[in-house]
Amino acid sequence: MSGSPQSRTGHPPVQRTVKRPAAPGPRHENPALRLYHRLRRAWDRPLTAYYLISGGSALITVLGLVMVYSASQITALQLSLPGSYFFRKQALAALIGAGLLVAAMKMPVKLHRALAYPILAGAVFLMILVQVPGIGVAVNGNQNWISLGGSFQIQPSEFGKLALVLWGADLLARKQDKRLLTQWKHMLVPLVPAAFMLLGLIMLGGDMGTAIILTAILFGLLWLAGAPTRLFAGVLSIAVLLGFILIKTSPNRMARLGCLFAADPGPNDSCWQAVHGIYALASGGLFGSGLGASVEKWGQLPEAHTDFIFAVTGEELGLAGTLSVLALFAALGYAGIRVAGRTEDPFVRYAAGGVTTWITAQAVINIGAVLGLLPIAGVPLPLFSYGGSALLPTMFAIGLLIAFARDEPGARAALALRQPRFGRKRGAGGAGSKRSPRSWNTMRRRASAARSSGER
């Protein structure tokens, strides 16, 4: 038959035009907004805090070892010691601290809480021994050290920070479980008297810097416990008044306060250290003069490998190096805040918040003093400056944060999924025992699927 095709009704079919979907136009998303969304998604992953704390603290410690070796060589040679003397001692302390970090990371929360009272009692006992003649040792005018024989010394006040964090977190957690934190007496007693006792023992040796850090930890714990504004302001007013009296009655502290924003050493070179710290940072430029090429560490900058190691870092690694250190501390602090904010365990929240307050406040005070924005308080840069007494409790505290970050429900599940799939026997126990047969029989499953579809 010829002609147009007919439908069942005898009429020619209706020609319909098929509408093609319009091609989607290119999306012009703001690059900054795209980067923000990617960072937000990365931050919401369950293992982000775990990787930031473990990776950030490891990078700070390793970079600190490098800078201690570079900044301490001239000081060691001036003391007729080998150039690597201070580096070897710091490396030994870092090795012991790594063991403490792993131990703290593996401990359950119950054991951390059980250790709170023994650590507090030991710290108080050692700080009392510091004031005993013949046992305590004075360094730079502050009697806060105990000699262990030879060149090894210990500063008990550094362990007082860890003691206050653990004991305060356990105390507040027990009171929260009993619903006692709604009463101001239970919120303050015995936390504030015990903290003031530690502060008094530290101030007997004249260490104002460590006392400031302990005060910051105390206020961090009170803030996390939900202290009312008037109560918080009252305790803060008392602390400020005591600090003012201690500074006013000490010519040395008044001289340090007068070196804020100093541009020249001043009369009798009273601001020598502060000014030469600024000189070191200013001469570093963008990328620094190179490792080992610092000029200020050749006797011009006092305490180049301890309190003012950040200045040597700026001179040798430049602005890029100092900003990298700041970024690592910011990441560490932010991860600690996330751990404290996401947990449901009161002890974990208080302990994580206390450790984060401790490390962040100490870093801000040290870097602010090097930049000339704060008075020189004589506190080391956490995980970075030379000093085993400061490094050991800090690494134990980092182990606490890592343990808390791993204990989050999402992180625990993600770590269980990331267990190694190969090298385990079939039917082995553990979180991944059900996944092992499937991982070993991947090719066999594929062959079975092919045969079931008719292939031979």
Side-chain angles (χ1 to χ4, degrees):
M1 296 178 61
S2 62
S4 61
Q6 301 290 326
S7 66
R8 294 181 179 180
T9 59
H11 298 287
V14 178
Q15 299 293 330
R16 293 183 176 89
T17 58
V18 179
K19 294 183 178 180
R20 296 181 178 179
R27 296 179 61 184
H28 298 285
E29 188 178 0
N30 188 355
L33 188 61
R34 190 187 313 121
L35 178 63
Y36 168 76
H37 288 309
R38 291 182 63 181
L39 292 176
R40 186 66 180 269
R41 287 193 299 269
W43 175 249
D44 288 335
R45 293 175 183 173
L47 290 176
T48 298
Y50 169 73
Y51 287 136
L52 283 178
I53 296 171
S54 56
S57 58
L59 287 175
I60 294 172
T61 305
V62 172
L63 183 58
L65 286 173
V66 174
M67 293 310 304
V68 164
Y69 180 66
S70 175
S72 65
Q73 287 182 341
I74 307 303
T75 304
L77 293 175
Q78 289 175 345
L79 297 174
S80 300
L81 297 171
S84 60
Y85 174 78
F86 292 105
F87 168 75
R88 292 200 304 264
K89 291 184 64 177
Q90 186 74 356
L92 177 61
L95 186 62
I96 299 174
L100 293 176
L101 186 148
V102 173
M105 187 175 65
K106 299 294 184 180
M107 288 180 187
V109 174
K110 290 183 179 180
L111 185 55
H112 288 148
R113 300 185 69 167
L115 288 175
Y117 283 87
I119 292 177
L120 177 65
V124 171
F125 176 72
L126 291 177
M127 282 191 280
I128 293 175
L129 285 182
V130 167
Q131 307 304 324
V132 177
I135 298 179
V137 178
V139 177
N140 294 331
N142 295 337
Q143 187 165 343
N144 286 297
W145 299 81
I146 294 177
S147 178
L148 299 180
S151 61
F152 291 94
Q153 296 176 342
I154 187 174
Q155 187 176 4
S157 58
E158 293 290 341
F159 295 88
K161 303 172 187 176
L162 178 63
L164 180 60
V165 168
L166 288 177
W167 178 77
D170 177 68
L171 175 69
L172 293 175
R174 287 189 288 106
K175 290 197 172 188
Q176 180 172 332
D177 292 338
K178 297 179 181 179
R179 304 181 184 276
L180 297 176
L181 291 182
T182 55
Q183 306 175 29
W184 67 270
K185 293 182 180 179
H186 285 283
M187 185 172 291
L188 295 182
V189 179
L191 177 62
V192 174
F196 278 14
M197 177 191 64
L198 293 174
L199 289 172
L201 291 173
I202 292 173
M203 289 307 301
L204 282 177
D207 191 357
M208 186 76 177
T210 304
I212 294 174
I213 304 300
L214 238 69
T215 305
I217 295 174
L218 172 63
F219 285 120
L221 292 174
L222 290 176
W223 180 272
L224 291 169
T229 305
R230 61 179 181 274
L231 183 64
F232 199 83
V235 178
L236 181 61
S237 301
I238 296 175
V240 170
L241 179 61
L242 292 176
F244 176 78
I245 295 174
L246 291 173
I247 292 174
K248 194 69 175 178
T249 55
S250 173
N252 183 30
R253 298 188 187 112
M254 286 298 297
R256 292 185 180 187
L257 192 64
C259 292
L260 289 176
F261 309 104
D264 58 84
N268 299 324
D269 293 331
S270 58
C271 299
W272 179 273
Q273 187 179 25
V275 171
H276 279 270
I278 298 297
Y279 290 168
L281 291 171
S283 60
L286 187 59
F287 296 106
S289 57
L291 278 174
S294 169
V295 175
E296 290 293 331
K297 69 182 181 183
W298 286 77
Q300 300 296 321
L301 180 62
E303 308 295 339
H305 61 296
T306 55
D307 301 343
F308 270 68
I309 194 171
F310 189 75
V312 180
T313 304
E315 186 178 4
E316 295 188 351
L317 302 183
L319 182 64
T322 54
L323 289 181
S324 299
V325 174
L326 289 175
L328 289 173
F329 275 109
L332 189 61
Y334 202 36
I337 293 174
R338 164 175 161 153
V339 172
R342 292 196 173 190
T343 184
E344 296 180 358
D345 190 333
F347 173 79
V348 173
R349 180 170 65 253
Y350 295 133
V355 171
T356 305
T357 303
W358 162 14
I359 295 176
T360 305
Q362 188 163 326
V364 169
I365 292 173
N366 178 275
I367 295 174
V370 174
L371 295 175
L373 304 177
L374 294 174
I376 299 175
V379 296
L381 190 59
L383 302 173
F384 202 85
S385 296
Y386 170 79
S389 295
L391 185 62
L392 295 181
T394 306
M395 293 192 74
F396 187 89
I398 293 295
L400 286 177
L401 285 181
I402 295 176
F404 298 156
R406 291 180 58 181
D407 203 43
E408 292 183 8
R412 199 183 309 117
L415 287 172
L417 291 176
R418 294 195 177 196
Q419 294 295 327
R421 300 181 182 180
F422 299 100
R424 287 185 293 187
K425 298 180 180 179
R426 296 185 187 180
S433 59
K434 296 182 180 180
R435 298 178 58 89
S436 298
R438 292 202 300 268
S439 62
W440 281 107
N441 298 329
T442 303
M443 298 303 295
R444 188 169 65 184
R445 285 190 287 107
R446 291 178 179 175
S448 300
R451 286 195 296 268
S452 64
S453 62
E455 297 184 13
R456 297 289 185 268

